Amino acid sequence: MNAPLFSPEEIQFIQEHLNDEPSKLMLQARRYPHLPIAKLVQQIQARQKAQHKLPDWYANANLIFPANLSVEQCSSQVTAQFKASLIQGESLADLTGGMGVDTAYLAQGFQKAFHFEQNQELQEIVAYNFEQLGLKHIAFVGGNSVEWLNAQAVAQTHFSWIYLDPHRRDEAGGKVFALSDCEPDVVKYQDLLFQFSENILIKASPMLDLDQSVRELKCIKQIWVISLDNEVKEVLFHLKSNHSEAPVITCVALYKNQDTQTLSFYKEEEAQTAPSIGQPTRYLYEPNVALLKAGAFKLPCSHYGLQKIAPHSHLYTSAVFQPDFIGRSFEVLAVCKLDKKAIAPFISNNQANITIRNFPLTVKQIREKLKIQEGGNTYLFATTDAQGQKIVIVCQKVTS
């Protein structure tokens, strides 16, 4: 591979200037006439983007980072490692290899893996990086992966798993979310993919319409809605050849600094749940965004033994603490109206954290009304109860 290797001096320059402002470095280019400053600054920019997203790769000084867009679009280390925990087998085909982050982690569970990529320069960088990472069981296939599959003899080509992360930008560079608008169109090519594997794993945008995707895809065995630090990052679909039952939906809450939380259910369970409604008691629970994206609005009531504050407020309460709840847990200090005098005794240093759920005012408007700043250890949940009353639930985080 003809990857653009950097000299020891150039690698040292990158490492010494990792925390510098790239634009300022470019202005200082004349100070380093013997160095390709533009290329080195591109590496610094990419590494800065990857510092928290890909900490292990960031820490490896020998890796080459491709264009910033590849870094922005790739999976994070945490989500890639989670995906790698889901699938194993003899052979894996990553039909949308890209920067190779998912390939690198997924391949660890397979005897042989294949990285497909249309951009030859990008694939050469990936091949070089995999050498540095000691990944010697990954083969590289250039060109369009769908065209490659169409040219193969089905009887002679088979993979334990096929993985795809379809490109989510249109020809004008705008973002798209629906699976049928992405490249390759996995909705269109489902039957082709099943000719080469019984197991297909598709990574999709967190913005896609989940119900629409379920209607479009065949043989869905399981769906994972994955959040990282309470932000939905991706939706995964496992398509299993000839699977005809309803898919299991699993909400996954990943965190950088605490244990993973999960909840699995069938859509029918959510539909059949009749939530118990009640006023806030001792504990309040705010659901992780993965629950909301997956449509698990009523299920927490039956699963955890909770009551909803109101049918459309998506806040839950209980008299007995439920430590396994997926989301944030609080102890209720008071329930009052949006009134500065009523709330003041619970606030120190004129600070509080404000969340709104089914409430007519914005967070900014509430701050202005109460004349308080962001921060502190007090949490205010402005919501509407089952009787239509506008209330503020004053809380503090549960301490273990």
Side-chain angles (χ1 to χ4, degrees), residues 309-342:
I309 301 300
H312 303 294
S313 291
H314 306 322
L315 290 171
Y316 307 87
T317 187
S318 70
V320 178
F321 182 53
Q322 300 297 325
D324 296 329
F325 181 81
I326 301 183
R328 298 197 298 173
S329 303
F330 302 87
E331 189 166 7
V332 176
L333 302 177
V335 180
C336 50
K337 295 181 179 180
L338 183 60
D339 180 81
K340 184 175 175 61
K341 288 185 178 180

PDB file of all heavy atoms in Angstrom, residues 309-342:
ATOM      1  N   ILE A 309     -46.049  10.585  35.615  1.00  0.00           N
ATOM      2  CA  ILE A 309     -46.584  11.851  36.145  1.00  0.00           C
ATOM      3  C   ILE A 309     -47.838  12.248  35.368  1.00  0.00           C
ATOM      4  O   ILE A 309     -48.803  12.760  35.929  1.00  0.00           O
ATOM      5  CB  ILE A 309     -45.514  12.966  36.059  1.00  0.00           C
ATOM      6  CG1 ILE A 309     -44.254  12.566  36.849  1.00  0.00           C
ATOM      7  CG2 ILE A 309     -46.083  14.286  36.561  1.00  0.00           C
ATOM      8  CD1 ILE A 309     -44.482  12.308  38.311  1.00  0.00           C
ATOM      9  N   ALA A 310     -47.803  12.005  34.056  1.00  0.00           N
ATOM     10  CA  ALA A 310     -48.941  12.298  33.184  1.00  0.00           C
ATOM     11  C   ALA A 310     -48.741  11.499  31.897  1.00  0.00           C
ATOM     12  O   ALA A 310     -47.614  11.123  31.559  1.00  0.00           O
ATOM     13  CB  ALA A 310     -49.038  13.793  32.884  1.00  0.00           C
ATOM     14  N   PRO A 311     -49.808  11.219  31.152  1.00  0.00           N
ATOM     15  CA  PRO A 311     -49.679  10.389  29.956  1.00  0.00           C
ATOM     16  C   PRO A 311     -48.650  10.887  28.946  1.00  0.00           C
ATOM     17  O   PRO A 311     -47.994  10.088  28.282  1.00  0.00           O
ATOM     18  CB  PRO A 311     -51.097  10.419  29.363  1.00  0.00           C
ATOM     19  CG  PRO A 311     -51.991  10.647  30.539  1.00  0.00           C
ATOM     20  CD  PRO A 311     -51.216  11.560  31.449  1.00  0.00           C
ATOM     21  N   HIS A 312     -48.488  12.215  28.832  1.00  0.00           N
ATOM     22  CA  HIS A 312     -47.613  12.758  27.789  1.00  0.00           C
ATOM     23  C   HIS A 312     -46.383  13.475  28.352  1.00  0.00           C
ATOM     24  O   HIS A 312     -45.674  14.162  27.619  1.00  0.00           O
ATOM     25  CB  HIS A 312     -48.401  13.716  26.890  1.00  0.00           C
ATOM     26  CG  HIS A 312     -49.595  13.082  26.252  1.00  0.00           C
ATOM     27  ND1 HIS A 312     -49.488  12.066  25.324  1.00  0.00           N
ATOM     28  CD2 HIS A 312     -50.925  13.294  26.443  1.00  0.00           C
ATOM     29  CE1 HIS A 312     -50.702  11.685  24.956  1.00  0.00           C
ATOM     30  NE2 HIS A 312     -51.587  12.405  25.622  1.00  0.00           N
ATOM     31  N   SER A 313     -46.080  13.316  29.610  1.00  0.00           N
ATOM     32  CA  SER A 313     -44.948  14.028  30.202  1.00  0.00           C
ATOM     33  C   SER A 313     -43.662  13.208  30.213  1.00  0.00           C
ATOM     34  O   SER A 313     -42.570  13.754  30.297  1.00  0.00           O
ATOM     35  CB  SER A 313     -45.285  14.459  31.635  1.00  0.00           C
ATOM     36  OG  SER A 313     -46.273  15.463  31.630  1.00  0.00           O
ATOM     37  N   HIS A 314     -43.765  11.875  30.142  1.00  0.00           N
ATOM     38  CA  HIS A 314     -42.600  10.978  30.094  1.00  0.00           C
ATOM     39  C   HIS A 314     -41.616  11.227  31.240  1.00  0.00           C
ATOM     40  O   HIS A 314     -40.410  11.303  31.049  1.00  0.00           O
ATOM     41  CB  HIS A 314     -41.891  11.086  28.739  1.00  0.00           C
ATOM     42  CG  HIS A 314     -42.802  10.861  27.574  1.00  0.00           C
ATOM     43  ND1 HIS A 314     -43.815   9.925  27.582  1.00  0.00           N
ATOM     44  CD2 HIS A 314     -42.870  11.470  26.363  1.00  0.00           C
ATOM     45  CE1 HIS A 314     -44.467   9.967  26.430  1.00  0.00           C
ATOM     46  NE2 HIS A 314     -43.920  10.883  25.675  1.00  0.00           N
ATOM     47  N   LEU A 315     -42.178  11.376  32.413  1.00  0.00           N
ATOM     48  CA  LEU A 315     -41.428  11.376  33.670  1.00  0.00           C
ATOM     49  C   LEU A 315     -42.109  10.352  34.574  1.00  0.00           C
ATOM     50  O   LEU A 315     -43.341  10.211  34.537  1.00  0.00           O
ATOM     51  CB  LEU A 315     -41.425  12.754  34.329  1.00  0.00           C
ATOM     52  CG  LEU A 315     -40.609  13.850  33.654  1.00  0.00           C
ATOM     53  CD1 LEU A 315     -40.888  15.206  34.307  1.00  0.00           C
ATOM     54  CD2 LEU A 315     -39.120  13.543  33.709  1.00  0.00           C
ATOM     55  N   TYR A 316     -41.329   9.669  35.392  1.00  0.00           N
ATOM     56  CA  TYR A 316     -41.861   8.565  36.173  1.00  0.00           C
ATOM     57  C   TYR A 316     -41.531   8.768  37.649  1.00  0.00           C
ATOM     58  O   TYR A 316     -40.596   9.483  37.999  1.00  0.00           O
ATOM     59  CB  TYR A 316     -41.272   7.235  35.677  1.00  0.00           C
ATOM     60  CG  TYR A 316     -41.442   7.050  34.179  1.00  0.00           C
ATOM     61  CD1 TYR A 316     -40.500   7.553  33.292  1.00  0.00           C
ATOM     62  CD2 TYR A 316     -42.558   6.401  33.661  1.00  0.00           C
ATOM     63  CE1 TYR A 316     -40.664   7.410  31.918  1.00  0.00           C
ATOM     64  CE2 TYR A 316     -42.730   6.247  32.296  1.00  0.00           C
ATOM     65  CZ  TYR A 316     -41.779   6.757  31.424  1.00  0.00           C
ATOM     66  OH  TYR A 316     -41.948   6.616  30.067  1.00  0.00           O
ATOM     67  N   THR A 317     -42.289   8.096  38.507  1.00  0.00           N
ATOM     68  CA  THR A 317     -42.092   8.274  39.945  1.00  0.00           C
ATOM     69  C   THR A 317     -42.366   6.970  40.679  1.00  0.00           C
ATOM     70  O   THR A 317     -43.063   6.078  40.174  1.00  0.00           O
ATOM     71  CB  THR A 317     -43.020   9.392  40.478  1.00  0.00           C
ATOM     72  OG1 THR A 317     -42.697   9.670  41.835  1.00  0.00           O
ATOM     73  CG2 THR A 317     -44.486   8.995  40.376  1.00  0.00           C
ATOM     74  N   SER A 318     -41.786   6.856  41.884  1.00  0.00           N
ATOM     75  CA  SER A 318     -42.027   5.691  42.739  1.00  0.00           C
ATOM     76  C   SER A 318     -41.718   6.059  44.184  1.00  0.00           C
ATOM     77  O   SER A 318     -40.931   6.973  44.452  1.00  0.00           O
ATOM     78  CB  SER A 318     -41.169   4.497  42.315  1.00  0.00           C
ATOM     79  OG  SER A 318     -39.804   4.726  42.615  1.00  0.00           O
ATOM     80  N   ALA A 319     -42.324   5.316  45.096  1.00  0.00           N
ATOM     81  CA  ALA A 319     -42.044   5.518  46.510  1.00  0.00           C
ATOM     82  C   ALA A 319     -40.806   4.738  46.940  1.00  0.00           C
ATOM     83  O   ALA A 319     -40.123   5.115  47.892  1.00  0.00           O
ATOM     84  CB  ALA A 319     -43.248   5.090  47.340  1.00  0.00           C
ATOM     85  N   VAL A 320     -40.527   3.640  46.220  1.00  0.00           N
ATOM     86  CA  VAL A 320     -39.365   2.803  46.507  1.00  0.00           C
ATOM     87  C   VAL A 320     -38.371   2.957  45.368  1.00  0.00           C
ATOM     88  O   VAL A 320     -38.739   2.896  44.187  1.00  0.00           O
ATOM     89  CB  VAL A 320     -39.771   1.319  46.666  1.00  0.00           C
ATOM     90  CG1 VAL A 320     -38.546   0.449  46.911  1.00  0.00           C
ATOM     91  CG2 VAL A 320     -40.783   1.176  47.798  1.00  0.00           C
ATOM     92  N   PHE A 321     -37.118   3.138  45.666  1.00  0.00           N
ATOM     93  CA  PHE A 321     -36.104   3.407  44.645  1.00  0.00           C
ATOM     94  C   PHE A 321     -35.891   2.205  43.732  1.00  0.00           C
ATOM     95  O   PHE A 321     -35.788   1.064  44.184  1.00  0.00           O
ATOM     96  CB  PHE A 321     -34.780   3.790  45.314  1.00  0.00           C
ATOM     97  CG  PHE A 321     -33.695   4.136  44.334  1.00  0.00           C
ATOM     98  CD1 PHE A 321     -33.898   5.081  43.334  1.00  0.00           C
ATOM     99  CD2 PHE A 321     -32.451   3.514  44.399  1.00  0.00           C
ATOM    100  CE1 PHE A 321     -32.901   5.394  42.428  1.00  0.00           C
ATOM    101  CE2 PHE A 321     -31.446   3.821  43.509  1.00  0.00           C
ATOM    102  CZ  PHE A 321     -31.675   4.767  42.513  1.00  0.00           C
ATOM    103  N   GLN A 322     -35.812   2.471  42.423  1.00  0.00           N
ATOM    104  CA  GLN A 322     -35.572   1.440  41.410  1.00  0.00           C
ATOM    105  C   GLN A 322     -34.207   1.708  40.760  1.00  0.00           C
ATOM    106  O   GLN A 322     -34.092   2.501  39.819  1.00  0.00           O
ATOM    107  CB  GLN A 322     -36.679   1.459  40.349  1.00  0.00           C
ATOM    108  CG  GLN A 322     -38.067   1.212  40.899  1.00  0.00           C
ATOM    109  CD  GLN A 322     -38.199  -0.171  41.519  1.00  0.00           C
ATOM    110  OE1 GLN A 322     -37.612  -1.144  41.054  1.00  0.00           O
ATOM    111  NE2 GLN A 322     -38.977  -0.265  42.602  1.00  0.00           N
ATOM    112  N   PRO A 323     -33.146   1.058  41.234  1.00  0.00           N
ATOM    113  CA  PRO A 323     -31.781   1.393  40.795  1.00  0.00           C
ATOM    114  C   PRO A 323     -31.461   0.992  39.360  1.00  0.00           C
ATOM    115  O   PRO A 323     -30.508   1.505  38.794  1.00  0.00           O
ATOM    116  CB  PRO A 323     -30.888   0.623  41.778  1.00  0.00           C
ATOM    117  CG  PRO A 323     -31.743  -0.523  42.235  1.00  0.00           C
ATOM    118  CD  PRO A 323     -33.143   0.003  42.268  1.00  0.00           C
ATOM    119  N   ASP A 324     -32.252   0.102  38.760  1.00  0.00           N
ATOM    120  CA  ASP A 324     -31.939  -0.383  37.408  1.00  0.00           C
ATOM    121  C   ASP A 324     -32.564   0.456  36.303  1.00  0.00           C
ATOM    122  O   ASP A 324     -32.403   0.140  35.122  1.00  0.00           O
ATOM    123  CB  ASP A 324     -32.402  -1.844  37.261  1.00  0.00           C
ATOM    124  CG  ASP A 324     -31.649  -2.772  38.193  1.00  0.00           C
ATOM    125  OD1 ASP A 324     -30.472  -2.489  38.491  1.00  0.00           O
ATOM    126  OD2 ASP A 324     -32.244  -3.773  38.638  1.00  0.00           O
ATOM    127  N   PHE A 325     -33.277   1.497  36.651  1.00  0.00           N
ATOM    128  CA  PHE A 325     -33.938   2.326  35.640  1.00  0.00           C
ATOM    129  C   PHE A 325     -32.922   2.891  34.647  1.00  0.00           C
ATOM    130  O   PHE A 325     -31.851   3.364  35.040  1.00  0.00           O
ATOM    131  CB  PHE A 325     -34.694   3.468  36.313  1.00  0.00           C
ATOM    132  CG  PHE A 325     -35.426   4.352  35.343  1.00  0.00           C
ATOM    133  CD1 PHE A 325     -36.663   3.979  34.845  1.00  0.00           C
ATOM    134  CD2 PHE A 325     -34.872   5.552  34.912  1.00  0.00           C
ATOM    135  CE1 PHE A 325     -37.334   4.778  33.937  1.00  0.00           C
ATOM    136  CE2 PHE A 325     -35.535   6.364  34.011  1.00  0.00           C
ATOM    137  CZ  PHE A 325     -36.777   5.977  33.519  1.00  0.00           C
ATOM    138  N   ILE A 326     -33.274   2.844  33.356  1.00  0.00           N
ATOM    139  CA  ILE A 326     -32.382   3.383  32.322  1.00  0.00           C
ATOM    140  C   ILE A 326     -32.628   4.879  32.195  1.00  0.00           C
ATOM    141  O   ILE A 326     -33.605   5.311  31.582  1.00  0.00           O
ATOM    142  CB  ILE A 326     -32.608   2.700  30.960  1.00  0.00           C
ATOM    143  CG1 ILE A 326     -32.370   1.203  31.070  1.00  0.00           C
ATOM    144  CG2 ILE A 326     -31.680   3.285  29.909  1.00  0.00           C
ATOM    145  CD1 ILE A 326     -32.494   0.475  29.770  1.00  0.00           C
ATOM    146  N   GLY A 327     -31.749   5.643  32.800  1.00  0.00           N
ATOM    147  CA  GLY A 327     -31.891   7.090  32.772  1.00  0.00           C
ATOM    148  C   GLY A 327     -31.359   7.685  34.056  1.00  0.00           C
ATOM    149  O   GLY A 327     -30.589   7.067  34.781  1.00  0.00           O
ATOM    150  N   ARG A 328     -31.787   8.886  34.347  1.00  0.00           N
ATOM    151  CA  ARG A 328     -31.333   9.576  35.555  1.00  0.00           C
ATOM    152  C   ARG A 328     -32.366   9.430  36.670  1.00  0.00           C
ATOM    153  O   ARG A 328     -33.574   9.462  36.411  1.00  0.00           O
ATOM    154  CB  ARG A 328     -31.081  11.057  35.261  1.00  0.00           C
ATOM    155  CG  ARG A 328     -29.984  11.296  34.225  1.00  0.00           C
ATOM    156  CD  ARG A 328     -29.476  12.731  34.269  1.00  0.00           C
ATOM    157  NE  ARG A 328     -30.517  13.704  33.943  1.00  0.00           N
ATOM    158  CZ  ARG A 328     -30.357  15.031  34.038  1.00  0.00           C
ATOM    159  NH1 ARG A 328     -29.205  15.522  34.460  1.00  0.00           N
ATOM    160  NH2 ARG A 328     -31.344  15.847  33.715  1.00  0.00           N
ATOM    161  N   SER A 329     -31.869   9.268  37.883  1.00  0.00           N
ATOM    162  CA  SER A 329     -32.746   9.073  39.036  1.00  0.00           C
ATOM    163  C   SER A 329     -32.550  10.201  40.039  1.00  0.00           C
ATOM    164  O   SER A 329     -31.415  10.618  40.298  1.00  0.00           O
ATOM    165  CB  SER A 329     -32.447   7.731  39.708  1.00  0.00           C
ATOM    166  OG  SER A 329     -32.589   6.667  38.776  1.00  0.00           O
ATOM    167  N   PHE A 330     -33.656  10.670  40.619  1.00  0.00           N
ATOM    168  CA  PHE A 330     -33.606  11.802  41.530  1.00  0.00           C
ATOM    169  C   PHE A 330     -34.469  11.542  42.763  1.00  0.00           C
ATOM    170  O   PHE A 330     -35.432  10.768  42.723  1.00  0.00           O
ATOM    171  CB  PHE A 330     -34.121  13.072  40.839  1.00  0.00           C
ATOM    172  CG  PHE A 330     -33.362  13.445  39.604  1.00  0.00           C
ATOM    173  CD1 PHE A 330     -33.709  12.916  38.367  1.00  0.00           C
ATOM    174  CD2 PHE A 330     -32.289  14.336  39.669  1.00  0.00           C
ATOM    175  CE1 PHE A 330     -33.010  13.265  37.222  1.00  0.00           C
ATOM    176  CE2 PHE A 330     -31.588  14.682  38.535  1.00  0.00           C
ATOM    177  CZ  PHE A 330     -31.943  14.150  37.305  1.00  0.00           C
ATOM    178  N   GLU A 331     -34.122  12.238  43.842  1.00  0.00           N
ATOM    179  CA  GLU A 331     -34.953  12.238  45.037  1.00  0.00           C
ATOM    180  C   GLU A 331     -35.733  13.552  45.058  1.00  0.00           C
ATOM    181  O   GLU A 331     -35.148  14.634  44.894  1.00  0.00           O
ATOM    182  CB  GLU A 331     -34.098  12.098  46.288  1.00  0.00           C
ATOM    183  CG  GLU A 331     -34.924  11.867  47.545  1.00  0.00           C
ATOM    184  CD  GLU A 331     -34.088  11.392  48.709  1.00  0.00           C
ATOM    185  OE1 GLU A 331     -32.848  11.366  48.586  1.00  0.00           O
ATOM    186  OE2 GLU A 331     -34.686  11.061  49.754  1.00  0.00           O
ATOM    187  N   VAL A 332     -37.033  13.444  45.256  1.00  0.00           N
ATOM    188  CA  VAL A 332     -37.906  14.622  45.206  1.00  0.00           C
ATOM    189  C   VAL A 332     -37.830  15.382  46.529  1.00  0.00           C
ATOM    190  O   VAL A 332     -38.025  14.816  47.602  1.00  0.00           O
ATOM    191  CB  VAL A 332     -39.361  14.203  44.906  1.00  0.00           C
ATOM    192  CG1 VAL A 332     -40.286  15.426  44.942  1.00  0.00           C
ATOM    193  CG2 VAL A 332     -39.443  13.513  43.548  1.00  0.00           C
ATOM    194  N   LEU A 333     -37.551  16.677  46.427  1.00  0.00           N
ATOM    195  CA  LEU A 333     -37.497  17.549  47.613  1.00  0.00           C
ATOM    196  C   LEU A 333     -38.805  18.302  47.817  1.00  0.00           C
ATOM    197  O   LEU A 333     -39.213  18.549  48.951  1.00  0.00           O
ATOM    198  CB  LEU A 333     -36.347  18.553  47.476  1.00  0.00           C
ATOM    199  CG  LEU A 333     -34.947  17.974  47.278  1.00  0.00           C
ATOM    200  CD1 LEU A 333     -33.933  19.100  47.090  1.00  0.00           C
ATOM    201  CD2 LEU A 333     -34.554  17.076  48.444  1.00  0.00           C
ATOM    202  N   ALA A 334     -39.440  18.671  46.692  1.00  0.00           N
ATOM    203  CA  ALA A 334     -40.692  19.437  46.797  1.00  0.00           C
ATOM    204  C   ALA A 334     -41.397  19.432  45.454  1.00  0.00           C
ATOM    205  O   ALA A 334     -40.778  19.224  44.405  1.00  0.00           O
ATOM    206  CB  ALA A 334     -40.412  20.874  47.237  1.00  0.00           C
ATOM    207  N   VAL A 335     -42.687  19.678  45.478  1.00  0.00           N
ATOM    208  CA  VAL A 335     -43.486  19.884  44.271  1.00  0.00           C
ATOM    209  C   VAL A 335     -44.231  21.195  44.457  1.00  0.00           C
ATOM    210  O   VAL A 335     -44.979  21.368  45.429  1.00  0.00           O
ATOM    211  CB  VAL A 335     -44.485  18.727  44.036  1.00  0.00           C
ATOM    212  CG1 VAL A 335     -45.299  18.991  42.770  1.00  0.00           C
ATOM    213  CG2 VAL A 335     -43.765  17.392  43.948  1.00  0.00           C
ATOM    214  N   CYS A 336     -44.007  22.138  43.551  1.00  0.00           N
ATOM    215  CA  CYS A 336     -44.610  23.455  43.734  1.00  0.00           C
ATOM    216  C   CYS A 336     -44.934  24.088  42.387  1.00  0.00           C
ATOM    217  O   CYS A 336     -44.653  23.525  41.327  1.00  0.00           O
ATOM    218  CB  CYS A 336     -43.681  24.358  44.535  1.00  0.00           C
ATOM    219  SG  CYS A 336     -41.984  24.415  43.912  1.00  0.00           S
ATOM    220  N   LYS A 337     -45.512  25.249  42.440  1.00  0.00           N
ATOM    221  CA  LYS A 337     -45.774  26.015  41.229  1.00  0.00           C
ATOM    222  C   LYS A 337     -44.491  26.717  40.786  1.00  0.00           C
ATOM    223  O   LYS A 337     -43.515  26.785  41.534  1.00  0.00           O
ATOM    224  CB  LYS A 337     -46.883  27.042  41.483  1.00  0.00           C
ATOM    225  CG  LYS A 337     -48.240  26.420  41.780  1.00  0.00           C
ATOM    226  CD  LYS A 337     -49.291  27.501  41.989  1.00  0.00           C
ATOM    227  CE  LYS A 337     -50.650  26.872  42.253  1.00  0.00           C
ATOM    228  NZ  LYS A 337     -51.709  27.914  42.470  1.00  0.00           N
ATOM    229  N   LEU A 338     -44.519  27.242  39.564  1.00  0.00           N
ATOM    230  CA  LEU A 338     -43.364  27.984  39.055  1.00  0.00           C
ATOM    231  C   LEU A 338     -43.348  29.358  39.730  1.00  0.00           C
ATOM    232  O   LEU A 338     -43.806  30.359  39.175  1.00  0.00           O
ATOM    233  CB  LEU A 338     -43.442  28.122  37.531  1.00  0.00           C
ATOM    234  CG  LEU A 338     -42.255  28.821  36.867  1.00  0.00           C
ATOM    235  CD1 LEU A 338     -40.963  28.078  37.140  1.00  0.00           C
ATOM    236  CD2 LEU A 338     -42.495  28.956  35.369  1.00  0.00           C
ATOM    237  N   ASP A 339     -42.829  29.345  40.964  1.00  0.00           N
ATOM    238  CA  ASP A 339     -42.853  30.541  41.793  1.00  0.00           C
ATOM    239  C   ASP A 339     -41.493  30.693  42.472  1.00  0.00           C
ATOM    240  O   ASP A 339     -41.015  29.772  43.141  1.00  0.00           O
ATOM    241  CB  ASP A 339     -43.960  30.426  42.836  1.00  0.00           C
ATOM    242  CG  ASP A 339     -44.019  31.649  43.735  1.00  0.00           C
ATOM    243  OD1 ASP A 339     -44.599  32.661  43.320  1.00  0.00           O
ATOM    244  OD2 ASP A 339     -43.462  31.569  44.849  1.00  0.00           O
ATOM    245  N   LYS A 340     -40.891  31.862  42.324  1.00  0.00           N
ATOM    246  CA  LYS A 340     -39.545  32.087  42.849  1.00  0.00           C
ATOM    247  C   LYS A 340     -39.472  31.905  44.362  1.00  0.00           C
ATOM    248  O   LYS A 340     -38.534  31.269  44.881  1.00  0.00           O
ATOM    249  CB  LYS A 340     -39.068  33.495  42.468  1.00  0.00           C
ATOM    250  CG  LYS A 340     -37.633  33.806  42.894  1.00  0.00           C
ATOM    251  CD  LYS A 340     -37.194  35.158  42.375  1.00  0.00           C
ATOM    252  CE  LYS A 340     -35.814  35.526  42.896  1.00  0.00           C
ATOM    253  NZ  LYS A 340     -34.776  34.552  42.468  1.00  0.00           N
ATOM    254  N   LYS A 341     -40.467  32.389  45.090  1.00  0.00           N
ATOM    255  CA  LYS A 341     -40.438  32.277  46.545  1.00  0.00           C
ATOM    256  C   LYS A 341     -40.557  30.821  46.995  1.00  0.00           C
ATOM    257  O   LYS A 341     -39.938  30.402  47.974  1.00  0.00           O
ATOM    258  CB  LYS A 341     -41.568  33.107  47.155  1.00  0.00           C
ATOM    259  CG  LYS A 341     -41.331  34.614  47.072  1.00  0.00           C
ATOM    260  CD  LYS A 341     -42.426  35.378  47.795  1.00  0.00           C
ATOM    261  CE  LYS A 341     -42.160  36.885  47.757  1.00  0.00           C
ATOM    262  NZ  LYS A 341     -43.240  37.642  48.458  1.00  0.00           N
ATOM    263  N   ALA A 342     -41.368  30.040  46.283  1.00  0.00           N
ATOM    264  CA  ALA A 342     -41.568  28.641  46.670  1.00  0.00           C
ATOM    265  C   ALA A 342     -40.318  27.796  46.402  1.00  0.00           C
ATOM    266  O   ALA A 342     -39.999  26.866  47.146  1.00  0.00           O
ATOM    267  CB  ALA A 342     -42.758  28.060  45.917  1.00  0.00           C
TER     268      ALA A 342
END
